[in-house]
Amino acid sequence: MTVPTAEQQQAVQRRTVAILSAGQVLGGIAFGATVSLGALLAADISGDDALSGLATASVTLGAALCAIPLARLATKLGRRRALTLGNLFALVGIGIVILAAALRVFPLLLVGIVLIGAGNAGNLQSRFAATDLASPRHRGRDLSVVVWATAVGGVAGPLLLGPGEVVGQAIGMPPQTGSYLFSLIAQTAAFVLYVVALRPDPLLLAQRIMAAGADQNAVEERRDHPVAARYAMFAIAASHVTMASVMAMTPIHLAHMAHGAHGGHATPADISSLVGVTIAMHVAGMYALSPVFGILADRWGRLQVVLLGQGLLAASLLFAMFVNDQAWGVMVALILLGLGWSAATVSGAALLTEATAPGLRTRRQGRSDSLMSFSAAGGAVLAGLILSNFQFGGLAVAASVLVIAIVVTSPLGRMRAA
């Protein structure tokens, strides 16, 4: 096969980013619904708030287990195969969650959420797929556009809780699972989109261009900076743990607040409304400004924007420590938490890609996603225990240790000249 010209490569890259963005919109609906409902379903079915963190832990565990296998599959067969397999995992997982809620079987619920997390591993890979054909000076921008697209589905997922319950009741679905009907439809559409439209495969095309020596940035791109790459992986993982641990416990904290505000008699509708709006604002913070952070990473530098993210995370944790008894304070904390996560992970992913030689990229990207998810799974379990014993403010204090660690070790993120 002939190697495309520079103009043809740019056209394929623009089309690839558009397709990946559309897929992220659809995949984000299932992510948003699981984030909002997972902890509530786990607490309801198990009867123990301390076990609610296992829902988020299961999502991240599924993503961790599948990140490296999906990355290896992408290396051999391309991004399209890996992304569609992730969608299939999520579809099966959604069906199992609905069945588990109907049967009220807690272990089965966790199995379904693990599979949804496996599907999320594919969604995470989409941001790296956006960099396969990207030029170095636009890498952060292209990556962040795909991350931003998740905001539409991620915000819609929590906001569909109310309408989902109405539709679910009308067709006889178990309580608190109605919005998963929308997730099924969205995941099916994403699967069809990738199968039909993601051609040519961006990773396979990038490999062919590199093998032919036609990459204009070949000399710069072949350098490897392992220390900076490892720092990027740490910064991504630690920022994600900070975000996931606090976010996972927010629905439980808000449920307790709602009961307190209603004299201990808050209705499920009261709780769903408060949780849905707060998580929707958090997810908006995670994704809405990611193109801004991507552009800043291209202009200011990757490491500088990683540190900007830590400043936002620190501000979030201060609100969570000192204004956690007010709904507005929790909402501000969650918005800042999302913004800090966005800045750190967008710039961290760009730094990881830039610091890694082409032959090692897919492997390190998979390891990064796996490390990020495994760490967040452990963090979510610990978050439930910390919340039960030290409340929401204590959880924020514990999470601040990771922010400090990222800042202190930031000199490792500088790439040395070859």
Side-chain angles (χ1 to χ4, degrees):
M1 298 177 66
T2 59
V3 175
T5 64
E7 292 75 14
Q8 290 172 330
Q9 291 179 40
Q10 292 171 8
V12 172
Q13 173 65 359
R14 287 192 296 269
R15 185 171 182 270
T16 297
V17 170
I19 293 166
L20 293 171
S21 299
Q24 287 296 90
V25 170
L26 297 168
I29 293 176
F31 169 76
T34 301
V35 165
S36 301
L37 291 174
L40 295 175
L41 277 171
D44 178 52
I45 295 175
S46 69
D48 187 351
D49 284 354
L51 296 179
S52 59
L54 291 179
T56 300
S58 297
V59 171
T60 51
L61 178 62
L65 291 173
C66 286
I68 293 176
L70 286 178
R72 289 177 177 172
L73 180 65
T75 301
K76 294 179 180 179
L77 301 178
R79 298 286 190 188
R80 182 166 57 89
R81 300 285 181 85
L83 294 176
T84 52
L85 181 58
N87 274 297
L88 286 176
F89 284 143
L91 284 168
V92 174
I94 292 168
I96 292 176
V97 165
I98 295 171
L99 178 63
L103 300 176
R104 299 193 64 79
V105 178
F106 183 64
L108 186 62
L109 173 71
L110 297 183
V111 170
I113 296 177
V114 165
L115 286 172
I116 293 174
N120 194 43
N123 287 340
L124 290 172
Q125 196 178 105
S126 293
R127 73 195 195 283
F128 289 123
T131 68
D132 290 335
L133 293 170
S135 66
R137 60 195 182 95
H138 292 147
R139 184 171 288 138
R141 182 200 66 186
D142 290 355
L143 183 152
S144 64
V145 166
V146 174
V147 172
W148 172 84
T150 311
V152 180
V155 172
L159 294 179
L160 289 172
L161 294 185
E165 285 304 297
V166 174
V167 174
Q169 290 176 5
I171 63 176
M173 292 179 67
Q176 295 184 320
T177 64
S179 63
Y180 280 113
L181 177 63
F182 300 128
S183 298
L184 278 170
I185 296 171
Q187 286 289 347
T188 301
F191 174 82
V192 173
L193 175 70
Y194 289 140
V195 169
V196 173
L198 195 58
R199 301 169 185 271
D201 188 283
L203 181 56
L204 297 182
L205 180 58
Q207 291 171 346
R208 194 167 80 244
I209 293 170
M210 186 64 68
D215 191 342
Q216 296 176 345
N217 305 290
V219 174
E220 182 267 340
E221 292 289 284
R222 290 183 190 277
R223 295 174 182 169
D224 192 48
H225 306 267
V227 174
R230 292 188 192 105
Y231 172 79
M233 294 167 67
F234 168 69
I236 292 169
S239 298
H240 189 66
V241 172
T242 301
M243 183 279 294
S245 59
V246 175
M247 177 270 294
M249 293 299 102
T250 298
I252 303 302
H253 178 66
L254 291 176
H256 292 163
M257 287 180 58
H259 283 301
H262 291 82
H265 299 289
T267 66
D270 293 329
I271 296 172
S272 293
S273 176
L274 180 59
V275 170
V277 171
T278 302
I279 296 299
M281 295 300 293
H282 166 66
V283 175
M286 288 175 67
Y287 299 113
L289 294 185
S290 58
V292 174
F293 295 129
I295 293 171
L296 290 177
D298 287 336
R299 294 183 179 180
W300 291 359
R302 320 304 188 194
L303 185 58
Q304 286 80 353
V305 181
V306 168
L307 295 176
L308 171 62
Q310 303 317 299
L312 291 167
L313 289 175
S316 165
L317 296 175
L318 288 173
F319 270 92
M321 290 177 200
F322 300 112
V323 202
N324 59 58
D325 58 342
Q326 301 290 327
W328 70 267
V330 176
M331 187 172 294
V332 170
L334 267 288
I335 293 172
L336 289 170
L337 189 72
L339 290 171
W341 176 90
S342 180
T345 55
V346 165
S347 54
L351 176 60
L352 174 60
T353 302
E354 197 167 78
T356 304
L360 300 174
R361 271 184 196 157
T362 308
R363 184 187 311 169
R364 280 189 187 157
Q365 289 165 354
R367 288 177 179 172
S368 176
D369 283 346
S370 183
L371 173 64
M372 177 181 73
S373 298
F374 269 126
S375 301
V381 173
L382 290 175
L385 298 175
I386 294 172
L387 182 72
S388 298
N389 292 281
F390 301 101
Q391 301 184 346
F392 202 63
L395 177 60
V397 172
S400 66
V401 174
L402 294 173
V403 174
I404 295 171
I406 295 172
V407 174
V408 170
T409 57
S410 61
L412 299 175
R414 303 184 188 280
M415 288 192 292
R416 310 302 179 193

